[in-house]
């Protein structure tokens, strides 16, 4: 959603990490951006111009004198850009940008930019830590550019330290945040996601098919929109969203403790987690063995605390509470019943079990019911986009 139809300028300079900018370009194109690459001659020693031209579907800006399209194409590209990123940015390029030097297609275009700009330094550790490079980065930061700190690790020069270009997905994520309106700045948002697992013995448990994708998408969208996000997560196989504080839990008891502990500071609480309603009464401390006596095995379960209902009974007037209702049938009636029973401000109802709206799907279709009677249909779309629509609706309803 952040990249759809956005004009992005991707600057590539001559570092070994230039190969990563090819993947960054692909991620942006896949997300619907129109990307123009501006590269230095040195970058051409690492990745060919044709690669960027074919993948971006735009002519590459590499020479101000032989461009046949327009004599001022660098100005056209600069003025139409919604955001720009230089990855990798060498010490040389950083120095030129800091001091307004415009002696090639990339630096000339950069000087004409008025849009948000991100610089991703990448070089040998000693070069990166050199006071002149650090001073130049300070100048860029003071003039409003966003600096993405390099990763640490083994570098191409065989030394170990800071200077490695972060992975393309990370730069893509941070650029997405840069493109997003900060309409949730100053808000503390508490989100729960994923399943809970309830131990039967040390090796077995009761759980459900929740993947955590919807809750993680909401956490990522909220962070991108400027919120401080705390995500209480059951066990999932998803990377933590960048910039989000993640508290990992397993059982409902642990999730309740984490959620209720964070509750006093939260402005908005969104409870997406699929919490197990029951847990084994006395989990065995040793693995339960087969008995072969044909009587089967009876598990005694006790009801778990309804965390959402507890939050609903404790929340203050300034706090906005959103629950989810995962249903296989009678969606509206069950969702409305849960909203009332748990004292929610909004409930997001979704049918689970379908191929495109299930726990594991990357898409979802949601119906939002608000306490004031407003109903918002969010048609089938990516969970990342559903997340933004849900946050739009929450913002409209906030006290
Ligand atoms: N929920 C919770 N604690 C529980 C059970 C559910 O906080 N012990 C929350 C979920 O995170 C979700 C909402 O309540 O936001 C609805 O969960 P759902 O599983 O759809 O409904 P239940 O209330 O458990 O009712 P049922 O299983 O009978 O449909």
């Amino acid at each position: 959603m952040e990249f759809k139809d956005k004009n992005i300028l991707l600057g590539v300079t001559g570092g070994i990490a230039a190969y990563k900018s090819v993947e960054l370009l692909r991620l942006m194109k896949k997300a619907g951006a129109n990307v123009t690459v501006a590269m230095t001659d040195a970058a051409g020693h690492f990745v060919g111009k044709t690669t960027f031209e074919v993948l971006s579907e735009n002519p590459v800006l590499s020479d101000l004198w032989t461009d046949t399209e327009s004599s001022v194409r660098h100005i056209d590209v600069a003025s139409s850009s919604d955001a720009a990123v230089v990855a990798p940015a060498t010490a040389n390029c950083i120095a030129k940008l800091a001091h307004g030097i415009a002696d090639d297609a990339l630096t000339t275009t950069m000087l004409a930019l008025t849009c948000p700009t991100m610089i991703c330094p990448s070089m040998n550790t000693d070069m990166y830590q050199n006071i002149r490079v650090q001073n130049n980065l300070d100048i860029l930061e003071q003039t409003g550019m966003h600096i993405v700190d390099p990763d640490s690790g083994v570098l191409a020069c065989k030394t170990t330290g800071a200077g490695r270009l972060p992975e393309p997905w990370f730069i893509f994520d941070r650029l997405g945040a840069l493109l997003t309106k900060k309409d949730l700045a100053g808000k503390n948002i508490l989100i729960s996601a994923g399943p809970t697992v309830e131990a039967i013995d040390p090796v077995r448990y009761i759980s459900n098919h929740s993947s955590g994708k919807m809750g993680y998408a909401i956490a990522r969208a909220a962070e991108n929109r400027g919120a401080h996000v705390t995500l209480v997560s059951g066990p999932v196989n998803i990377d933590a969203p960048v910039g989000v504080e993640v508290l990992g839990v397993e059982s409902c008891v642990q999730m309740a403790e984490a959620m209720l502990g964070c509750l006093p500071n939260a402005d908005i609480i969104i409870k997406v987690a699929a919490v197990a309603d029951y847990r084994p009464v006395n989990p065995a401390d040793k693995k339960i063995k087969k008995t072969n006596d044909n009587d089967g095995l009876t598990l005694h379960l006790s009801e778990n605390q309804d965390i959402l209902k507890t939050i609903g009974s404790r929340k203050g007037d300034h706090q906005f509470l959103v629950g989810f209702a995962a249903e296989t049938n009678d969606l509206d009636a069950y969702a409305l019943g849960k909203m009332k029973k748990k004292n929610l401000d909004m409930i997001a109802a979704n049918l689970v079990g379908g191929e495109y709206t299930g726990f594991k799907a990357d898409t979802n279709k949601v119906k939002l019911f608000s306490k004031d009677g407003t109903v918002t249909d969010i048609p089938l779309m990516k969970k990342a986009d559903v997340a933004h629509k849900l946050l739009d609706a929450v913002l409209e309803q906030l006290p």
Side-chain angles (χ1 to χ4, degrees), residues 190-193 215-216 219-220 228-236 238-249 258 262:
L190 176 60
I191 299 170
S192 75
Y216 274 61
R220 180 178 181 272
H228 174 266
V229 182
T230 306
L231 176 63
V232 177
S233 174
V236 295
I238 318 179
D239 288 330
V242 181
V244 168
E245 189 185 340
V246 181
L247 305 178
V249 296
C262 296

Side-chain angles (χ1 to χ4, degrees), residues 271-273 275-277 305-308 323-327 338 342:
K271 189 116 201 350
V272 197
V275 185
D277 288 330
Q305 176 180 12
D306 191 318
I307 308 169
L308 186 62
F324 265 69
E327 309 294 348
K338 286 176 188 176
K342 305 192 189 195

Side-chain angles (χ1 to χ4, degrees), residues 13-37:
T13 67
I16 184 68
Y19 74 93
K20 289 187 181 172
S21 48
V22 177
E23 183 57 24
L24 176 60
L25 165 60
R26 291 188 67 237
L27 288 171
M28 293 193 286
K29 286 290 290 177
K30 220 171 127 193
N34 172 41
V35 186
T36 300
V37 175

Side-chain angles (χ1 to χ4, degrees), residues 99-225:
H99 297 282
I101 296 170
D103 64 351
D104 59 18
L106 170 58
T107 49
T108 308
T109 311
M110 295 291 294
L111 204 55
L113 286 176
T114 54
C115 63
T117 300
M118 184 175 272
I119 305 291
C120 306
S122 169
M123 65 200 77
N124 160 272
T125 308
D126 291 332
M127 288 170 77
Y128 175 65
Q129 286 169 348
N130 188 300
I131 189 68
R132 282 161 285 179
V133 172
Q134 288 300 316
N135 285 344
N136 287 335
L137 285 170
D138 285 346
I139 293 174
L140 294 183
E141 199 152 37
Q142 280 155 23
T143 54
M145 290 192 181
H146 300 260
I147 312 296
V148 174
D149 291 337
D151 283 348
S152 288
V154 180
L155 306 177
C157 53
K158 307 261 184 316
T159 55
T160 303
R164 198 161 66 180
L165 187 70
E167 293 308 313
W169 67 263
F170 182 89
I171 301 172
F172 174 74
D173 184 278
R174 292 301 79 197
L175 193 61
L178 198 62
L179 283 163
T180 310
K181 56 183 184 296
K182 302 291 177 228
D183 52 4
L184 286 171
K187 298 277 180 233
N188 287 318
I189 306 197
L190 176 60
I191 299 170
S192 75
T196 64
V197 298
E198 311 295 334
I200 297 171
D201 67 17
V203 294
R204 304 179 181 97
Y205 56 78
I206 295 174
S207 190
N208 57 65
H209 291 298
S210 171
S211 65
K213 286 178 181 174
M214 193 64 248
Y216 274 61
I218 296 172
R220 180 178 181 272
E223 193 275 339
N224 281 1
R225 290 167 77 153

